[in-house]
Amino acid sequence: MKKGLEGPPPEERPSPTGRRNKQGIRIDPEVEATHEPRRTVISALVEHEPGVLSDVSGLFSRRQFNIESLTVGPTEDDDRARMTIVVEEPDPGIDQVKKQLRKLVPVIAVRELEPDAMRRELALIKVDAADPAQIAAVAEMYGGKTVDSSPETATVEVTGARQKIEAAIETFSQFGIREISRTGTTALARGTDPTGTASATAQPADEANHDEPYTADDD
């Protein structure tokens, strides 16, 4: 008679707990239950080449990270681009965002910015133009300017921190808002502190070489 594998019977074997997301990746219940989410800004310096944005957005979709906004644009180096990612996750999730970003080949450096980093967003707000003088006054109050006008509508451009943009939108709502378009946050570290360079944020060689590869159960 053939003998089976040693160990407890199937009904006595421990099984993993926690729900799975739509991709079948198991989510640690302790992480979900004991950590409050917080909002932070992560800056990623990447190779300026086709497909990088697709790689990064695919990572976020696969891992179901709670990304509030993502902006990308060229830097002072034509071969590199900077991504600014606003994340709202528990601390373990934020650590995973940075860890998984660093594993992507086109990513050069990843850094979570300090709370005092320079953060700016641009918004275009189109409102009914029944009272152009009042619209111009509100725009001036928020340091904005009218970039388009017609007998029916006026479009105002406002730039600043997220709180300023949201306050401006709330104030402009008195005129009747027709459309809003926002860029999402872009950010730089203050002063001489580098926002993200290969030398400033690269992992030590021994740590980078021992990073485990991505697997479906990695979280």
Side-chain angles (χ1 to χ4, degrees):
M1 181 172 160
K2 215 170 182 181
K3 188 177 180 183
L5 296 175
E6 294 184 1
E11 63 272 11
E12 296 179 9
R13 294 173 190 168
S15 58
T17 59
R19 68 180 180 89
R20 290 183 180 271
N21 62 23
K22 293 179 181 178
Q23 283 70 38
I25 300 170
R26 193 175 297 281
I27 299 175
D28 187 343
E30 184 179 350
V31 169
E32 287 194 306
T34 61
H35 299 274
E36 290 296 322
R38 66 181 177 91
R39 188 185 183 94
T40 191
V41 176
I42 295 173
S43 180
L45 191 65
V46 302
E47 299 287 350
H48 197 184
E49 60 185 32
V52 176
L53 181 58
S54 176
D55 289 345
V56 173
S57 60
L59 166 67
F60 294 153
S61 174
R62 195 166 57 237
R63 307 298 300 168
Q64 292 195 330
F65 292 130
N66 189 11
I67 303 302
E68 293 292 315
S69 72
L70 188 158
T71 62
V72 59
T75 68
E76 71 284 355
D77 185 340
D78 291 339
D79 295 328
R80 295 179 177 181
R82 187 177 305 284
M83 290 186 174
T84 305
I85 306 155
V86 180
V87 183
E88 189 165 352
E89 285 277 342
D91 277 309
I94 291 171
D95 290 340
Q96 282 297 314
V97 171
K98 295 184 286 186
K99 178 180 177 181
Q100 297 297 333
L101 278 172
R102 290 188 180 109
K103 291 181 181 181
L104 295 178
V105 172
V107 175
I108 299 166
V110 176
R111 177 184 174 184
E112 181 179 353
L113 297 183
E114 300 296 330
D116 68 346
M118 297 296 298
R119 309 180 188 191
R120 292 294 181 269
E121 180 178 338
L122 182 145
L124 294 175
I125 308 166
K126 184 186 290 186
V127 299
D128 292 328
D131 195 341
Q134 277 291 96
I135 292 170
V138 172
E140 184 178 354
M141 182 171 66
Y142 288 99
K145 60 182 179 179
T146 302
V147 294
D148 181 69
S149 64
S150 72
E152 294 81 21
T153 66
T155 301
V156 177
E157 174 189 308
V158 180
T159 304
R162 179 175 61 94
Q163 293 86 346
K164 176 183 175 182
I165 298 294
E166 291 177 350
I169 290 172
E170 183 177 354
T171 305
F172 275 112
S173 66
Q174 66 184 294
F175 305 112
I177 294 176
R178 293 202 179 192
E179 292 182 295
I180 297 173
S181 181
R182 298 171 65 167
T183 61
T185 299
T186 188
L188 285 175
R190 286 185 176 271
T192 58
D193 187 16
T195 302
T197 63
S199 58
T201 61
Q203 294 172 287
D206 57 343
E207 181 182 341
N209 291 339
H210 285 84
D211 255 348
E212 66 274 28
Y214 172 81
T215 65
D217 290 324
D218 186 18
D219 53 21

